[in-house]
Amino acid sequence: MKIGYRTIKTAIGTPIAIVIAQTLGLANFTSAGILTILTIKPSRKQSVLSAWHRLLACVIASIFSFVFFEFLGYHPIVLAIMFILFIPVTVLLKVTPGIATSSVITLSFYGAGDIPIHFLFEQFLIIIIGIGTGLLVNLYMPGNDRKLRLYQKKLEDNFQIILKEIALYIRDKNTVWDGKELRESEEMLQETIVMAEIDRENHLLRSKHAYFDYFIMRNEQLDLLRKMLPLVTKLPNRDEISVKIATFFEELAEFVHPENTAIVFLEKLKELKDEFNQEDLPTTYEEFETRANLFRLLHEIENYLIIKKHYKKSDVSLIRRPT
């Protein structure tokens, strides 16, 4: 059984928060541990947002509790009215994740039957200790660069195989390929996009993340490759057009890497299109259908290259091609 970093940080941070609160002689010191558990998230950004939501919600709950209980009394009906008003306020301020935590604070006030200033101050200390401890232990986040580089290399290898298999099918109607690389790539992209998103959220002052943008780009290209497969099956057998498209796919397969070479291939594609446009118009339904499928295929290839072209060069510079 594998124990994750989040589990370890929770196991370390929770008793630390409780010990600090207990050492200071604070009532309901276990609440500090609960706050720490709720603050520890998969990324630093999520932890900071969680901390902000819970801190603001707890402050609002404390104010509401003091006003309602001290002026209207400690009664279940007063508690119900307070929640009816309090929850919409948290929704309005977009801090709903803090409702559960602030409810613990509210019920502590209600159970105490009295809210002297020193008790109110103690609850604020518990909030600061619990949230602060969670943020501190969550500062350490292991990097995923090595894993992401390995996935990138494997993904590029798969894309090369897919493009070469498409070329083989166009040339020889080779049907041996089982499409394993398509399935593998889809699974890898689902995992890597989540991993890269978490890695991006660990950099609080940087919104761009080279690997995240890269895998999003490859995911869009993979969708287009799927669309191309049924189109290539409808190309004519071993004529001049098919041979040229097969050659184009073979050349494209040799340049699957992070650097942006899409402009070169877009020029080659334009030359292919111009060449096909100069051919005689189709005279039969079969020829017309073949021509339509051909142009749909060229359109998908163009979209595939445009996606890569729009992948910013500044992002590419942050990624080194695996060796």
Side-chain angles (χ1 to χ4, degrees):
M1 183 175 62
K2 187 177 179 181
I3 299 176
Y5 283 103
R6 190 178 170 191
T7 303
I8 295 170
K9 286 185 283 191
T10 302
I12 293 171
T14 304
I16 289 175
I18 292 173
V19 166
I20 294 172
Q22 193 173 12
T23 302
L24 294 175
L26 304 179
N28 301 316
F29 53 81
T30 54
S31 298
I34 295 171
L35 284 166
T36 299
I37 293 170
L38 294 171
T39 303
I40 296 172
K41 297 292 181 183
S43 70
R44 293 191 188 106
K45 182 179 179 180
Q46 290 179 35
S47 278
V48 170
L49 284 174
S50 174
W52 167 246
H53 292 154
R54 298 182 199 290
L55 178 61
L56 186 56
C58 286
V59 169
I60 296 169
S62 299
I63 295 170
F64 268 66
S65 298
F66 183 81
V67 172
F68 275 81
F69 297 150
E70 288 295 301
F71 287 93
L72 299 178
Y74 292 80
H75 193 278
I77 294 176
V78 175
L79 181 66
I81 294 170
M82 198 210 83
F83 275 123
I84 288 171
L85 296 174
F86 167 70
I87 292 175
V89 170
T90 60
V91 173
L92 182 66
L93 296 175
K94 298 180 180 179
V95 292
T96 49
I99 290 175
T101 310
S102 56
S103 297
V104 174
I105 300 297
T106 299
L107 294 174
S108 296
F109 287 137
Y110 180 78
D114 186 27
I115 309 179
I117 296 299
H118 74 84
F119 185 68
L120 193 62
F121 178 70
E122 284 186 4
Q123 295 307 303
F124 278 120
L125 277 180
I126 286 173
I127 295 168
I128 297 300
I129 292 167
I131 292 175
T133 304
L135 286 174
L136 285 173
V137 297
N138 221 35
L139 285 176
Y140 173 71
M141 286 290 179
N144 288 318
D145 279 9
R146 184 174 175 277
K147 273 186 180 179
L148 292 171
R149 277 197 299 271
L150 290 172
Y151 276 123
Q152 176 201 336
K153 177 63 171 66
K154 177 61 178 170
L155 194 64
E156 288 176 358
D157 291 344
N158 279 1
F159 268 55
Q160 287 183 331
I161 292 170
I162 293 167
L163 291 168
K164 287 177 181 177
E165 289 295 339
I166 289 175
L168 276 174
Y169 183 86
I170 294 172
R171 282 189 186 280
D172 306 316
K173 291 295 183 278
N174 186 343
T175 57
V176 176
W177 184 51
D178 61 1
K180 175 174 68 97
E181 287 75 18
L182 276 168
R183 296 189 297 273
E184 278 185 1
S185 298
E186 183 178 6
E187 290 170 4
M188 277 193 291
L189 283 165
Q190 287 176 353
E191 185 176 347
T192 53
I193 287 172
V194 172
M195 193 186 301
E197 171 66 14
I198 291 173
D199 204 57
R200 181 173 70 164
E201 290 182 351
N202 285 331
H203 299 84
L204 298 176
L205 301 178
R206 194 178 78 193
S207 60
K208 300 297 290 180
H209 189 281
Y211 281 110
F212 179 78
D213 295 336
Y214 174 81
F215 289 123
I216 289 292
M217 178 267 293
R218 288 299 186 201
N219 193 48
E220 292 174 355
Q221 286 189 317
L222 186 66
D223 286 340
L224 289 173
L225 286 174
R226 281 200 204 89
K227 291 180 182 179
M228 292 180 202
L229 291 176
L231 295 174
V232 299
T233 62
K234 298 174 183 177
L235 291 180
N237 295 330
R238 298 183 62 82
D239 68 351
E240 187 179 351
I241 291 176
S242 297
V243 170
K244 287 181 178 179
I245 292 178
T247 302
F248 185 87
F249 273 107
E250 287 167 347
E251 291 176 355
L252 195 59
E254 296 301 320
F255 287 88
V256 178
H257 51 66
E259 286 74 21
N260 206 331
T261 55
I263 295 175
V264 175
F265 283 96
L266 281 168
E267 285 297 323
K268 290 184 178 182
L269 186 65
K270 184 178 181 300
E271 292 173 7
L272 274 178
K273 279 185 172 181
D274 291 340
E275 191 174 335
F276 298 155
N277 285 332
Q278 291 172 7
E279 294 197 352
D280 295 335
L281 292 173
T283 55
T284 65
Y285 177 79
E286 288 75 14
E287 289 178 355
F288 179 82
E289 188 178 29
T290 299
R291 182 69 64 91
N293 287 323
L294 170 64
F295 278 99
R296 282 178 61 198
L297 176 61
L298 293 176
H299 178 69
E300 298 300 350
I301 296 171
E302 184 178 26
N303 287 337
Y304 176 95
L305 293 169
I306 288 171
I307 288 170
K308 185 64 183 290
K309 180 185 175 183
H310 289 166
Y311 178 60
K312 293 184 180 178
K313 192 173 181 181
S314 59
D315 296 334
V316 177
S317 65
L318 296 176
I319 299 179
R320 295 291 179 265
R321 188 177 182 183
T323 56

